[in-house]
Amino acid sequence: MSQAHENRTTSTEAPERLTGSVVVVALVSAVSGLLYGYDTGIISGALLQIGEDFDIGSGWEQVIAASILVGAVIGALSCSWLAERRGRRGTLLLVGVVFVVGAVAASLAPTPFLLSISRLVLGFAVGGATQTAPVYVAELAPTAYRGRLVLFFQIAIGVGIVIATVVGASESVPWRLSIGVAAVPAALMFLLMLRLPESPRWLLRSGDADAARAALASVRPPERDLEREFGEIRENVEAEREAGTRGWSGLRAAWVRPALVVGCGLAVFTQLSGIEMIVYYSPTILTDNGFSDSTALRVSVALGLTYLIAQLIGLAVIDRVGRRRLTLITLPGAAAALFVLGAFFATGNDGKSMIPWIVGTLITFMAFTAGGIQLMGWLTGSEIYPLATRAAGAAAQSAALWGTNVLITLTLLSIMRTIGTGPTFWMYGLFNVAAFVFLYRTMPEMTGHSLEEIETRLEEGRFTPAGFAR
């Protein structure tokens, strides 16, 4: 283990106080997460109005819903490249501009085709923000506050989903306004970024030590001794430069592959869990099966609130229960809820008298999946990869997550039309069973282990559940 790693693990004292710049960093993290949750969630209620305005069927609805996800894949991959070459701050400023342009263009789109293209542009910003913002925040935040700033990002996603479902459920807000209003927080994010410096770590990697020192000083209290922290960053950057396994090519190394398999597999299963089916299409699914629009939209709000509450509970207990254990405990509950939902629809028990049972089962599913596997998709990307491949690994994991999301969104309504609502729920229940088997066999318990310990076990070929148990 390098000296830089040893120094980093021992430097855990918090600064005496938070600076205004660090508070702005927290706000940027929160706004980017909120935009992610809102822009992906608002389509759930808006699709009911869009379908009527444009007189389109399920095929176009799937394309409109999925276009933002295709853009997110492109944004996650390209912004990973941009952030490495042009800096984190510059990339996030670009993302803020694209957020505004995409939201305004989508709200004014005169045809389904142009609406899809506008949401593709908006998706670029969503993917870019989710890829770049956590890295930027982690590199600016003091060590003692880093976890809480990541928490802001995760919780803000849930807040964005809740706001989107409330707006959709009101039915009085035109879909153009509900989509276009996202330009306001996007503009706020851009203005907040103007106050912040470039990442000191990126500046040092680019060879500008003076600018790196000035950037670090701007986000630390004046009384803070910067020499130790700046020395750790310098040693860490030098260790990255000397690493034999680096970047995208490093992900192909045999000893890194187990982390890539677990990370990308987990990202895929977070989407195959059925969460996006419920977030994007629950109003459409329910109205297609005889529910009124108002009932379906109120259910969507309840599901959004459940998502947020379950995330808060999961984040509160994850370090005590453990990442692996929490995931394996909650997956069977999610699978069982989907099997029960499938039985309701497959046996014709989906009438008005069954509404409380259907809604209760949907909420149960949302609680198990949001408080379990959904917490892991973004968290593991920052933990399981070696330092020199961490940015590339996180980008690959993001692309796997968004790519699976695209596939689901483009096919879900067509699958339901073909095999029925009940069997579709059963299919996703089986995906949760497969996720349990996959993660039980491959995912180690990383809670309580430092990033350096995780990397050491990778190097030793012990990145397995048994390898972390001893």
Side-chain angles (χ1 to χ4, degrees), residues 246-439:
R246 298 181 60 189
W248 285 94
S249 61
L251 294 178
R252 295 196 294 268
W255 68 275
V256 178
R257 200 172 300 137
L260 186 64
V261 169
V262 171
C264 290
L266 182 57
V268 168
F269 279 118
T270 60
Q271 306 308 293
L272 292 179
S273 67
I275 184 75
E276 305 306 345
M277 168 178 63
I278 302 302
V279 170
Y280 296 157
Y281 288 133
S282 59
T284 302
I285 293 170
L286 294 176
T287 54
D288 284 353
N289 285 276
F291 286 60
S292 68
D293 286 3
S294 58
T295 298
L297 290 170
R298 284 196 294 270
V299 171
S300 185
V301 173
L303 292 172
L305 288 169
T306 303
Y307 180 97
L308 177 59
I309 294 169
Q311 288 255 297
L312 287 169
I313 294 172
L315 287 164
V317 304
I318 190 170
D319 285 327
R320 292 194 293 272
V321 176
R323 288 143 174 75
R324 170 183 162 87
R325 184 179 300 171
L326 182 62
T327 306
L328 295 181
I329 287 173
T330 52
L331 276 171
L338 289 174
F339 288 137
V340 172
L341 278 169
F344 286 149
F345 287 98
T347 60
N349 290 299
D350 54 355
K352 290 185 178 180
S353 64
M354 295 299 293
I355 287 178
W357 294 99
I358 292 172
V359 172
T361 311
L362 280 168
I363 288 174
T364 300
F365 162 77
M366 182 64 78
F368 276 116
T369 194
I373 195 172
Q374 296 306 313
L375 291 171
M376 310 304 164
W378 300 114
L379 177 62
T380 55
S382 64
E383 292 184 330
I384 66 176
Y385 300 105
L387 176 66
T389 64
R390 192 162 295 145
Q397 194 162 325
S398 295
L401 185 148
W402 289 116
T404 307
N405 204 332
V406 171
L407 180 64
I408 291 169
T409 310
L410 278 174
T411 60
L412 179 66
L413 294 181
S414 297
I415 290 173
M416 283 190 168
R417 303 284 192 274
T418 303
I419 68 174
T421 302
T424 302
F425 280 125
W426 288 339
M427 181 178 72
Y428 279 90
L430 290 174
F431 286 149
N432 279 270
V433 173
F436 180 92
V437 174
F438 172 80
L439 295 173

Side-chain angles (χ1 to χ4, degrees), residues 21-52:
S21 294
V22 172
V23 173
V24 176
V25 169
L27 288 174
V28 167
S29 176
V31 173
S32 64
L34 183 142
L35 284 167
Y36 165 21
Y38 183 86
D39 284 328
T40 56
I42 192 62
I43 199 64
S44 174
L47 271 179
L48 297 178
Q49 296 183 34
I50 291 170
E52 293 178 0

Side-chain angles (χ1 to χ4, degrees), residues 84-85 201-209 237 241:
E84 290 298 309
R85 285 156 181 79
R201 180 194 188 95
W202 184 84
L203 289 168
L204 202 53
R205 288 176 62 186
S206 302
D208 197 341
V237 168
R241 286 174 178 161

